[in-house]
Amino acid sequence: MSKEIIKKKGILFIISAPSGAGKTSLTRELLDIFPDIRQSISFTTRKPRPGDIEGKDYFFIDNNQFNKMISDSEFAEWAEVHGNFYGTAIKTLEESRKAGNDIILDIDCQGARILKDKGIRGVNIFILPPSWDELRKRLVDRGTDSIEVIEKRIKNGVNEVKEAIWYDYVIINDNMDKAVETLKAIIIAEHQRYENLSEGFLKQFLD
Ligand code: 5GP
């Protein structure tokens, strides 16, 4: 059977975690390991932090632009997180689906829940910090947020963990290398699910 008929199916990987649990670093490692995986770039009203790059970390927009995107139904999901708005554009998901690429969404549990309730199929992965003390230490060491913001993020984190029960996978990030290996195993295993196999995959063995 011709190779064109074996169409690749991309998978949507949704990763949520309390901030500071290491989600960003883990996602970066995955993108290095699997060069075909794309990362969804969200829109946010949060102000850029030092080092944030427009169009790479986020598309930074103001409240008016965000509200316009909501009223134009441009978001697959959006949510208010830690006092700022964040959203994933439908266009981003559509483009990767059409290209057959895997895509990673680094979004909070409200957004993940919206996608699940809309019936958008994805693999939901929740990353836990080793402990709240360790999380506080990481956020302080990161030096990008004030103590008040850090405490707010931890408080929100405790509520977010309650949502981990409906995720498909839960990983404790107590060791970066181990967490990367676990994520890698999940991605490889998900591609072997019958429903995720390329169209015509089995047919090539039957012709
Ligand atoms: P940060 O401002 O630290 O980059 O992200 C704060 C939180 O917003 C994180 O939990 C992150 O996962 C979440 N987030 C980032 N982009 C989106 C998005 O498009 N939608 C939703 N619902 N949450 C997002």
Side-chain angles (χ1 to χ4, degrees):
M1 109 175 275
S2 81
K3 281 261 185 281
E4 298 90 82
I5 303 172
I6 305 178
K7 196 172 170 301
K8 225 169 61 164
K9 268 196 196 172
I11 303 176
L12 182 67
F13 292 98
I14 298 164
I15 305 189
S16 302
S19 45
K23 188 177 38 166
T24 311
S25 315
L26 286 172
T27 307
R28 283 206 190 112
E29 293 276 333
L30 285 183
L31 296 175
D32 280 349
I33 298 169
F34 299 99
D36 287 343
I37 298 188
R38 301 280 172 273
Q39 181 166 23
S40 164
I41 318 282
S42 298
F43 288 79
T44 184
T45 60
R46 167 168 81 63
K47 297 278 168 284
R49 294 195 192 109
D52 274 342
I53 299 171
E54 163 70 24
K56 182 172 178 282
D57 296 295
Y58 285 104
F59 295 111
F60 295 96
I61 58 176
D62 62 26
N63 278 308
N64 288 338
Q65 291 169 304
F66 200 92
N67 287 334
K68 167 113 176 51
M69 287 185 75
I70 295 175
S71 51
D72 291 346
S73 307
E74 287 189 48
F75 287 126
E77 64 74 33
W78 65 269
E80 185 178 352
V81 190
H82 314 308
N84 293 300
F85 292 96
Y86 296 82
T88 307
I90 293 173
K91 198 167 159 237
T92 309
L93 302 187
E94 274 303 297
E95 281 172 1
S96 77
R97 193 187 57 78
K98 279 196 200 126
N101 286 326
D102 286 352
I103 185 164
I104 297 185
L105 264 60
D106 165 346
I107 63 174
D108 87 316
C109 43
Q110 303 173 79
R113 185 77 225 184
I114 293 168
L115 296 181
K116 192 177 170 75
D117 291 346
K118 279 187 174 174
I120 296 175
R121 276 196 38 225
V123 179
N124 291 291
I125 305 167
F126 198 96
I127 313 282
L128 284 167
S131 70
W132 296 116
D133 281 345
E134 175 60 26
L135 187 83
R136 185 176 288 105
K137 187 177 169 304
R138 285 183 194 175
L139 290 173
V140 170
D141 290 349
R142 193 162 81 176
T144 52
D145 294 302
S146 65
I147 294 298
E148 296 79 59
V149 170
I150 289 173
E151 289 308 324
K152 188 168 166 190
R153 282 173 182 253
I154 289 174
K155 201 163 152 257
N156 288 346
V158 175
N159 286 325
E160 279 177 292
V161 170
K162 293 180 189 150
E163 299 293 315
I165 53 166
W166 56 263
Y167 276 66
D168 300 307
Y169 298 98
V170 179
I171 300 173
I172 299 177
N173 184 16
D174 51 357
N175 174 295
M176 184 74 174
D177 292 342
K178 212 174 95 211
V180 169
E181 280 307 308
T182 309
L183 276 167
K184 204 172 129 187
I186 292 170
I187 292 173
I188 293 169
E190 284 296 326
H191 272 284
Q192 302 315 125
R193 274 187 194 276
Y194 178 70
E195 72 227 47
N196 288 335
L197 291 176
S198 345
E199 279 161 35
F201 181 88
L202 288 184
K203 195 162 177 290
Q204 65 185 316
F205 295 94
L206 302 171
D207 284 350

PDB file of all heavy atoms in Angstrom, residues 67-78:
ATOM      1  N   ASN A  67     -10.775  40.213  24.737  1.00  0.00           N
ATOM      2  CA  ASN A  67     -12.248  40.192  24.698  1.00  0.00           C
ATOM      3  C   ASN A  67     -12.767  40.074  23.279  1.00  0.00           C
ATOM      4  O   ASN A  67     -13.774  39.410  23.026  1.00  0.00           O
ATOM      5  CB  ASN A  67     -12.811  41.461  25.357  1.00  0.00           C
ATOM      6  CG  ASN A  67     -12.646  41.392  26.858  1.00  0.00           C
ATOM      7  OD1 ASN A  67     -12.589  40.302  27.431  1.00  0.00           O
ATOM      8  ND2 ASN A  67     -12.539  42.544  27.501  1.00  0.00           N
ATOM      9  N   LYS A  68     -12.058  40.705  22.347  1.00  0.00           N
ATOM     10  CA  LYS A  68     -12.475  40.636  20.936  1.00  0.00           C
ATOM     11  C   LYS A  68     -12.340  39.188  20.444  1.00  0.00           C
ATOM     12  O   LYS A  68     -13.223  38.672  19.749  1.00  0.00           O
ATOM     13  CB  LYS A  68     -11.608  41.601  20.115  1.00  0.00           C
ATOM     14  CG  LYS A  68     -11.666  41.465  18.613  1.00  0.00           C
ATOM     15  CD  LYS A  68     -12.320  42.697  17.970  1.00  0.00           C
ATOM     16  CE  LYS A  68     -12.336  42.697  16.442  1.00  0.00           C
ATOM     17  NZ  LYS A  68     -12.854  41.534  15.790  1.00  0.00           N
ATOM     18  N   MET A  69     -11.249  38.530  20.835  1.00  0.00           N
ATOM     19  CA  MET A  69     -11.068  37.123  20.420  1.00  0.00           C
ATOM     20  C   MET A  69     -12.161  36.244  21.014  1.00  0.00           C
ATOM     21  O   MET A  69     -12.634  35.315  20.374  1.00  0.00           O
ATOM     22  CB  MET A  69      -9.679  36.613  20.826  1.00  0.00           C
ATOM     23  CG  MET A  69      -8.572  37.191  19.977  1.00  0.00           C
ATOM     24  SD  MET A  69      -6.951  36.489  20.371  1.00  0.00           S
ATOM     25  CE  MET A  69      -7.068  34.851  19.619  1.00  0.00           C
ATOM     26  N   ILE A  70     -12.577  36.577  22.253  1.00  0.00           N
ATOM     27  CA  ILE A  70     -13.675  35.791  22.863  1.00  0.00           C
ATOM     28  C   ILE A  70     -14.954  36.004  22.050  1.00  0.00           C
ATOM     29  O   ILE A  70     -15.617  35.047  21.649  1.00  0.00           O
ATOM     30  CB  ILE A  70     -13.926  36.201  24.336  1.00  0.00           C
ATOM     31  CG1 ILE A  70     -12.717  35.873  25.205  1.00  0.00           C
ATOM     32  CG2 ILE A  70     -15.183  35.510  24.883  1.00  0.00           C
ATOM     33  CD1 ILE A  70     -12.839  36.354  26.651  1.00  0.00           C
ATOM     34  N   SER A  71     -15.273  37.283  21.757  1.00  0.00           N
ATOM     35  CA  SER A  71     -16.550  37.526  21.063  1.00  0.00           C
ATOM     36  C   SER A  71     -16.508  37.021  19.622  1.00  0.00           C
ATOM     37  O   SER A  71     -17.547  36.685  19.060  1.00  0.00           O
ATOM     38  CB  SER A  71     -16.997  38.982  21.163  1.00  0.00           C
ATOM     39  OG  SER A  71     -15.962  39.818  20.784  1.00  0.00           O
ATOM     40  N   ASP A  72     -15.321  36.923  19.039  1.00  0.00           N
ATOM     41  CA  ASP A  72     -15.216  36.354  17.685  1.00  0.00           C
ATOM     42  C   ASP A  72     -15.108  34.817  17.715  1.00  0.00           C
ATOM     43  O   ASP A  72     -14.831  34.198  16.685  1.00  0.00           O
ATOM     44  CB  ASP A  72     -13.993  36.927  16.953  1.00  0.00           C
ATOM     45  CG  ASP A  72     -14.170  38.407  16.604  1.00  0.00           C
ATOM     46  OD1 ASP A  72     -15.315  38.887  16.681  1.00  0.00           O
ATOM     47  OD2 ASP A  72     -13.166  39.070  16.273  1.00  0.00           O
ATOM     48  N   SER A  73     -15.295  34.229  18.892  1.00  0.00           N
ATOM     49  CA  SER A  73     -15.238  32.754  19.075  1.00  0.00           C
ATOM     50  C   SER A  73     -13.938  32.150  18.540  1.00  0.00           C
ATOM     51  O   SER A  73     -13.945  31.121  17.880  1.00  0.00           O
ATOM     52  CB  SER A  73     -16.419  32.070  18.383  1.00  0.00           C
ATOM     53  OG  SER A  73     -17.615  32.634  18.799  1.00  0.00           O
ATOM     54  N   GLU A  74     -12.843  32.835  18.818  1.00  0.00           N
ATOM     55  CA  GLU A  74     -11.560  32.343  18.299  1.00  0.00           C
ATOM     56  C   GLU A  74     -10.876  31.341  19.229  1.00  0.00           C
ATOM     57  O   GLU A  74      -9.890  30.726  18.862  1.00  0.00           O
ATOM     58  CB  GLU A  74     -10.613  33.523  18.056  1.00  0.00           C
ATOM     59  CG  GLU A  74     -10.990  34.351  16.835  1.00  0.00           C
ATOM     60  CD  GLU A  74      -9.929  35.366  16.495  1.00  0.00           C
ATOM     61  OE1 GLU A  74      -8.749  35.007  16.438  1.00  0.00           O
ATOM     62  OE2 GLU A  74     -10.302  36.546  16.300  1.00  0.00           O
ATOM     63  N   PHE A  75     -11.389  31.220  20.476  1.00  0.00           N
ATOM     64  CA  PHE A  75     -10.709  30.344  21.427  1.00  0.00           C
ATOM     65  C   PHE A  75     -11.347  28.958  21.524  1.00  0.00           C
ATOM     66  O   PHE A  75     -12.565  28.831  21.578  1.00  0.00           O
ATOM     67  CB  PHE A  75     -10.724  30.965  22.829  1.00  0.00           C
ATOM     68  CG  PHE A  75      -9.787  32.137  22.986  1.00  0.00           C
ATOM     69  CD1 PHE A  75     -10.265  33.366  23.456  1.00  0.00           C
ATOM     70  CD2 PHE A  75      -8.438  32.020  22.694  1.00  0.00           C
ATOM     71  CE1 PHE A  75      -9.407  34.440  23.617  1.00  0.00           C
ATOM     72  CE2 PHE A  75      -7.576  33.093  22.850  1.00  0.00           C
ATOM     73  CZ  PHE A  75      -8.060  34.310  23.311  1.00  0.00           C
ATOM     74  N   ALA A  76     -10.501  27.929  21.574  1.00  0.00           N
ATOM     75  CA  ALA A  76     -10.983  26.570  21.884  1.00  0.00           C
ATOM     76  C   ALA A  76     -11.283  26.511  23.375  1.00  0.00           C
ATOM     77  O   ALA A  76     -12.187  25.813  23.819  1.00  0.00           O
ATOM     78  CB  ALA A  76      -9.910  25.555  21.516  1.00  0.00           C
ATOM     79  N   GLU A  77     -10.483  27.226  24.142  1.00  0.00           N
ATOM     80  CA  GLU A  77     -10.707  27.373  25.590  1.00  0.00           C
ATOM     81  C   GLU A  77     -10.008  28.620  26.039  1.00  0.00           C
ATOM     82  O   GLU A  77      -9.033  29.042  25.422  1.00  0.00           O
ATOM     83  CB  GLU A  77     -10.191  26.146  26.364  1.00  0.00           C
ATOM     84  CG  GLU A  77      -8.680  25.897  26.292  1.00  0.00           C
ATOM     85  CD  GLU A  77      -7.825  26.851  27.112  1.00  0.00           C
ATOM     86  OE1 GLU A  77      -8.278  27.283  28.173  1.00  0.00           O
ATOM     87  OE2 GLU A  77      -6.708  27.159  26.694  1.00  0.00           O
ATOM     88  N   TRP A  78     -10.503  29.211  27.099  1.00  0.00           N
ATOM     89  CA  TRP A  78      -9.796  30.321  27.745  1.00  0.00           C
ATOM     90  C   TRP A  78     -10.173  30.308  29.215  1.00  0.00           C
ATOM     91  O   TRP A  78     -11.216  29.758  29.594  1.00  0.00           O
ATOM     92  CB  TRP A  78     -10.123  31.668  27.078  1.00  0.00           C
ATOM     93  CG  TRP A  78     -11.546  32.116  27.192  1.00  0.00           C
ATOM     94  CD1 TRP A  78     -12.546  31.850  26.305  1.00  0.00           C
ATOM     95  CD2 TRP A  78     -12.136  32.881  28.252  1.00  0.00           C
ATOM     96  NE1 TRP A  78     -13.726  32.406  26.746  1.00  0.00           N
ATOM     97  CE2 TRP A  78     -13.497  33.053  27.939  1.00  0.00           C
ATOM     98  CE3 TRP A  78     -11.639  33.453  29.437  1.00  0.00           C
ATOM     99  CZ2 TRP A  78     -14.383  33.752  28.766  1.00  0.00           C
ATOM    100  CZ3 TRP A  78     -12.520  34.152  30.255  1.00  0.00           C
ATOM    101  CH2 TRP A  78     -13.876  34.290  29.917  1.00  0.00           C
TER     102      TRP A  78
END
